[in-house]
């Protein structure tokens, strides 16, 4: 009898372990053969996601942020090095402290080099992992297989999420979301059996996610929403402070980490002047744009049309639109609160959508865009939860058999729309030409098309796009820098100098503009003034190979080869294939009488082989 009892206990323990592995709570009501279904559905969702995004591996890098994050960043392209690791954890690159994001790019470069297919593949794999995690978390917390599958399918295949997955520079978004979802999974385990070790995993997930992107600033608030539904930790008490107080106190360590990170994030953005537009836009304009953006995100969630990589900021929306959206959001919020007892998923999903958008809804203006598709990646989960559970409960019993078919059709529609949207990401030209078609007054699209034409050697077309961008946004440092660099290439040095001076005035922290202005001044034999701007560029971006080479060149012109030498060496350390730096280094060494050392650099600059040179 004792042996039989022991066997039964062991069998029950094994059952509990299997239940955990399948991410189903023991009381969820899924037993026997049904326990195989979650794993099969999860596998289908992941396989569908990989199939959908497989064409992304044929896309190239784009000329918007990708050069700064990957292709022209020597700290990243060098792979995993000691210097690179130190840089990742100490720099505020692009106005962010995101060491895990930088390390993810370095890791790909370490094994695959600067391969667009490999970098896109890493983002696609992360998105597929997020799909599996979201399904696991929702099923574990609710036990609702159908609603969890639908919400996950919408997240996996919605066109609004294409930008987050198909843009290499937005790796930080899918990577931080990976840690967001891991934290939710750790929190679900903690709620099932509270303990310090399990709570420590929640804290670790939050910190790691913040080290990829500050999007997790609202995660503690999202956990409070999950406490209300589906975790039901209030024990039947009304949603009020007395019932929420112990749950809020429980999360004090998480809130402390978040408040510390807010200061870090704001300081990093101020460091590169990214908050300059916030000073130009009054609070009323930013608040109006935030309200209208909520409505625009909602509209694009239900009808994902005219999606663009950049949405220009209109500065001031018509007051009737702002007022109308404010009323709409208020009515929707009241309805969600009123539905708390009968449909608590509406409350959690809607407030998740509103709340997790706060860091990126542009109340603090970062950049010059009004909204961005990539910001929808996490907030959209709230909408998908609310919609999917409402969908599952809204079919009358007589037509319930049509529910799975309708859900599959919805997911399939998203799948097709995403497949079409993905085609715009093949090249920079296709992406920004599409942006011009679906938006008005898009100065950034013109600016980046100017870059693309410049890179292809089509200077007249580049100049045309740059002038179009300037007409729309004359106060843009980026546009002035682009136009100045094109004019400089066309030999219109005085005109180029004027635009580059204005670029530096508009944004002092613009390293490229300082470097280009230095080149314009050097072309006018103003080498001392040029040196000042090259040094400023290197102060802003210490690993700027072109600025090192240009600074060395200006010092050579002033007959200071000894001072120029370390800058050419630094340029080549950052970019060993920079032929101009090899040539300049050879000249500097020659002037110092070190002809034997100069010869290999002369040969490298000329592309000659030592054996082919006759004495």
């Amino acid at each position: 009898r004792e042996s039989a009892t022991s066997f039964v206990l062991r069998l029950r323990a094994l059952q509990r372990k299997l239940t955990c592995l399948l991410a189903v709570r023991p009381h969820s009501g899924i037993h026997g053969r049904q326990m195989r279904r979650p794993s099969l559905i999860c596998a289908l969702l992941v396989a569908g996601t990989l199939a959908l995004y497989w064409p992304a591996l044929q896309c190239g890098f784009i000329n918007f942020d990708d050069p700064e994050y990957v292709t022209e960043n020597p700290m990243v392209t060098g792979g995993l090095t000691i210097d690179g690791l130190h840089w990742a954890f100490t720099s505020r690159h692009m106005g962010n402290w995101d060491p895990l994001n930088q390390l993810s790019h370095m890791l790909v470069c370490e094994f695959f080099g600067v391969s667009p297919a490999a970098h896109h593949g890493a983002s696609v794999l992360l998105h597929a992992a997020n799909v599996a995690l979201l399904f696991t978390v929702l099923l574990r917390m609710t036990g609702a297989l159908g609603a969890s599958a639908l919400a996950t399918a919408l997240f996996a295949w919605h066109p609004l999420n294409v930008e987050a997955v198909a843009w290499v520079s937005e790796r930080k978004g899918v990577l931080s979301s990976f840690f967001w979802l891991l934290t939710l999974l750790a929190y679900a385990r903690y709620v099932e059996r509270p303990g310090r070790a399990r709570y420590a995993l929640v804290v670790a997930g939050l910190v790691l996610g913040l080290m990829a992107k500050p999007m997790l600033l609202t995660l503690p608030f999202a956990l409070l929403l999950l406490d209300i539904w589906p975790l039901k930790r209030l024990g039947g008490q009304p949603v009020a402070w007395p019932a929420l107080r112990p749950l809020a106190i429980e999360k004090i360590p998480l809130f402390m980490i978040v408040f510390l990170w807010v200061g870090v994030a704001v300081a990093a953005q101020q460091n590169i002047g990214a908050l300059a537009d916030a000073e130009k836009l009054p609070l009323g304009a930013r608040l109006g744009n935030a309200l209208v953006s909520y409505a625009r995100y909602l509209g694009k969630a239900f009808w994902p049309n005219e999606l663009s990589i950049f949405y220009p900021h209109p500065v001031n929306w018509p007051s009737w639109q702002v007022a109308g959206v404010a009323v709409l959001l208020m009515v929707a919020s009241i309805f969600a609160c009123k539905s708390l007892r009968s449909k608590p998923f509406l409350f959690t999903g809607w407030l998740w959508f509103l709340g997790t958008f706060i860091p990126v809804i542009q109340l603090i203006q970062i950049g010059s865009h009004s909204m961005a598709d990539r910001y929808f990646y996490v907030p959209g989960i709230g909408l998908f939860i609310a919609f999917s559970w409402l969908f599952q409960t809204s079919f009358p019993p007589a037509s319930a058999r049509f529910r799975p078919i309708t859900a599959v059709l919805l997911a399939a529609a998203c799948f097709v729309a995403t497949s079409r949207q993905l085609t715009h990401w093949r090249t920079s030209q296709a992406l920004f030409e599409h942006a011009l078609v679906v938006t008005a007054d898009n100065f950034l699209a013109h600016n980046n098309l100017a870059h693309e034409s410049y890179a292809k050697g089509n200077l007249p077309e580049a100049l045309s796009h740059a002038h179009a961008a300037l007409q729309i946004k004359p106060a843009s440092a980026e546009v002035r820098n682009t136009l100045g660099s094109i004019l400089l290439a066309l030999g219109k040095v005085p005109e180029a100098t004027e635009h580059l001076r204005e670029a530096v005035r508009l944004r002092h922290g613009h390293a490229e503009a300082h470097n280009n202005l230095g080149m314009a001044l050097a072309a006018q034999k103003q080498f001392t003034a040029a040196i000042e701007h090259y040094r400023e560029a290197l102060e802003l971006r210490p690993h700027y190979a072109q600025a090192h080479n240009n600074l060395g060149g200006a010092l050579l012109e002033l007959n200071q080869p000894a001072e120029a030498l370390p800058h050419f060496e630094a340029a080549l350390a950052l970019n060993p294939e920079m032929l101009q730096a090899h040539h300049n280094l050879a000249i500097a060494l020659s002037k110092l009488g070190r002809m034997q050392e100069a010869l290999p650099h002369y040969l490298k600059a000329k592309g000659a082989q030592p054996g082919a040179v006759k004495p």
Side-chain angles (χ1 to χ4, degrees):
R1 191 178 299 169
E2 288 178 3
S3 174
T5 303
S6 174
F7 175 76
V8 169
L9 290 173
R10 289 180 184 179
L11 193 62
R12 286 178 179 173
L14 179 61
Q15 183 186 13
R16 282 195 296 272
K17 287 182 180 179
L18 286 171
T19 302
C20 288
L21 285 172
L22 289 169
V24 181
R25 298 172 74 184
H27 59 272
S28 64
I30 300 176
H31 302 287
R33 270 184 265 178
Q34 285 185 323
M35 292 180 70
R36 298 194 195 110
R37 292 177 61 198
S39 298
L40 177 61
I41 290 174
C42 185
L44 289 172
L45 288 167
V46 170
T49 302
L50 292 173
L52 174 61
Y53 278 98
W54 184 258
L57 274 64
Q58 306 301 317
C59 298
F61 293 109
I62 65 167
N63 62 9
F64 186 26
D65 285 356
D66 283 359
E68 289 80 4
Y69 272 108
V70 181
T71 59
E72 295 177 11
N73 187 335
M75 292 293 103
V76 169
T77 56
L80 292 172
T81 63
I82 298 298
D83 287 343
L85 291 172
H86 179 264
W87 172 82
F89 281 93
T90 58
S91 72
R92 300 271 194 293
H93 184 60
M94 298 289 288
N96 299 302
W97 188 72
D98 52 356
L100 291 190
N101 175 49
Q102 304 295 348
L103 290 176
S104 76
H105 291 299
M106 290 178 191
L107 188 64
V108 177
C109 287
E110 177 70 23
F111 292 102
F112 303 101
V114 189
S115 162
H119 284 273
H120 283 297
S123 296
V124 170
L125 287 174
L126 273 171
H127 181 53
N130 290 343
V131 169
L133 278 171
L134 179 61
F135 178 73
T136 301
V137 166
L138 291 178
L139 189 58
R140 184 169 191 138
M141 288 186 175
T142 67
L145 185 59
S148 298
L150 178 57
T152 304
L154 294 175
F155 167 78
W157 305 335
H158 199 283
L160 267 177
N161 286 340
V162 168
E163 181 173 295
V165 184
W167 189 6
V168 170
S169 295
E170 193 47 30
R171 169 83 54 74
K172 55 186 179 289
V174 288
L175 181 60
S176 65
S177 300
F178 174 76
F179 289 110
W180 177 298
L181 293 166
L182 272 181
T183 306
L184 293 190
L185 187 58
Y187 187 69
R189 292 180 70 251
Y190 165 78
V191 169
E192 290 166 10
R193 197 172 73 226
R196 290 184 180 179
R198 293 191 172 204
Y199 191 85
L201 289 176
V202 176
V203 173
L206 173 62
V207 172
L208 289 171
L210 288 168
M211 290 171 70
K213 186 180 179 179
M215 190 69 193
L216 281 82
L217 292 173
T218 55
L219 181 56
F221 300 94
L223 296 181
L224 278 173
L225 288 174
L226 295 174
D227 284 338
I228 296 169
W229 183 91
L231 297 176
K232 300 177 182 178
R233 297 185 70 196
L234 297 187
Q237 300 180 67
V239 179
W241 177 243
L244 288 172
R245 184 189 302 142
L247 300 176
I249 291 172
E250 173 189 68
K251 295 170 184 60
I252 285 177
L254 305 180
F255 285 118
M256 290 174 65
I257 292 169
V258 161
F259 290 138
L260 174 66
W261 231 274
V262 168
V264 172
V266 171
Q269 290 292 328
Q270 284 177 331
N271 192 46
I272 64 161
L275 299 181
D277 286 340
E279 299 171 4
K280 300 173 187 175
L281 283 175
L283 178 60
R286 282 178 272 141
L287 184 59
N289 179 70
L291 290 171
V292 173
S293 293
Y294 273 118
R296 295 172 77 191
Y297 283 119
L298 278 170
K300 290 181 183 297
F302 287 97
W303 189 253
N305 192 31
E306 298 187 343
L307 304 182
S308 172
I309 187 174
F310 183 82
Y311 299 97
H313 201 299
V315 181
N316 288 303
W317 290 95
S319 54
W320 65 268
Q321 285 189 17
V322 176
V325 170
V327 171
L328 172 68
L329 295 177
M330 189 178 299
V331 169
S333 300
I334 292 171
F335 178 77
C337 292
K338 292 284 187 183
S339 305
L340 185 56
R341 286 187 177 277
S342 59
K343 295 180 175 62
F345 48 81
L346 289 180
F347 177 84
T348 293
W350 177 249
L351 291 188
W352 175 300
F353 171 73
L354 293 181
T356 56
F357 252 130
I358 288 175
V360 290
I361 203 66
Q362 296 292 68
L363 284 171
I364 297 177
Q365 186 69 33
I366 297 175
S368 52
H369 53 283
S370 61
M371 59 181 285
D373 294 352
R374 60 189 178 274
Y375 295 157
F376 184 79
Y377 197 75
V378 168
I381 293 173
L383 273 189
F384 298 144
I385 287 172
F387 175 82
S388 299
W389 264 262
L390 184 64
F391 178 86
Q392 290 292 96
T393 58
S394 296
F395 274 78
S399 58
R401 65 182 181 276
F402 296 112
R403 186 168 55 207
I405 299 172
T406 309
V408 168
L409 290 175
L410 281 171
C414 284
F415 193 100
V416 172
T418 289
S419 182
R420 291 183 60 188
Q421 180 63 19
L422 199 55
T423 61
H424 300 306
W425 286 83
R426 290 189 178 276
T427 64
S428 297
Q429 181 125 3
L431 183 64
F432 290 106
E433 284 179 349
H434 174 70
L436 288 180
V437 171
V438 299
T439 61
D441 296 331
N442 198 325
F443 76 93
L444 187 134
H446 278 296
N447 187 70
N448 285 59
L449 285 169
H451 277 285
E452 189 69 8
S453 298
Y454 181 91
K456 292 176 179 177
N458 190 343
L459 294 182
E461 186 175 305
L463 189 62
S464 173
H465 279 297
H467 276 304
L470 184 68
Q471 250 187 335
I472 299 167
K473 189 90 169 179
S476 167
E478 194 59 48
V479 169
R480 294 279 183 174
N481 177 59
T482 301
L483 180 55
S485 62
I486 294 169
L487 290 168
L488 193 59
L490 288 167
K492 300 179 179 181
V493 180
E495 192 179 347
T497 305
E498 180 185 339
H499 287 291
L500 292 168
R501 285 192 189 279
E502 183 64 8
V504 168
R505 187 191 70 79
L506 288 167
R507 199 174 106 201
H508 183 72
H510 200 312
E512 293 87 354
H514 278 289
N515 179 64
N516 289 337
L517 179 54
M519 291 172 65
L521 293 168
Q524 298 170 79
K525 307 298 182 184
Q526 300 176 37
F527 298 113
T528 303
I531 285 170
E532 291 180 15
H533 288 285
Y534 293 143
R535 291 194 190 281
E536 188 64 39
L538 288 170
E539 183 72 25
L540 293 164
R541 192 194 293 179
H543 304 288
Y544 196 170
Q546 187 65 52
H548 271 296
N549 180 61
N550 289 343
L551 176 54
L555 290 167
L556 264 186
E557 293 287 350
L558 295 176
N559 200 27
Q560 299 176 28
E563 290 80 359
L565 195 66
H567 290 290
F568 297 136
E569 290 172 340
L572 289 173
L574 293 166
N575 183 1
E577 300 305 314
M578 186 182 284
L579 299 184
Q580 187 184 25
H582 278 288
H583 177 75
N584 289 340
L585 178 57
I587 294 174
L589 289 167
S590 299
K591 287 192 173 188
L592 292 169
R594 295 156 63 176
M595 297 300 298
Q596 197 67 27
E597 295 175 60
L599 181 59
H601 294 288
Y602 272 125
L603 296 174
K604 178 72 174 178
K606 292 180 179 296
Q609 298 297 323
V613 177
K614 294 181 180 180

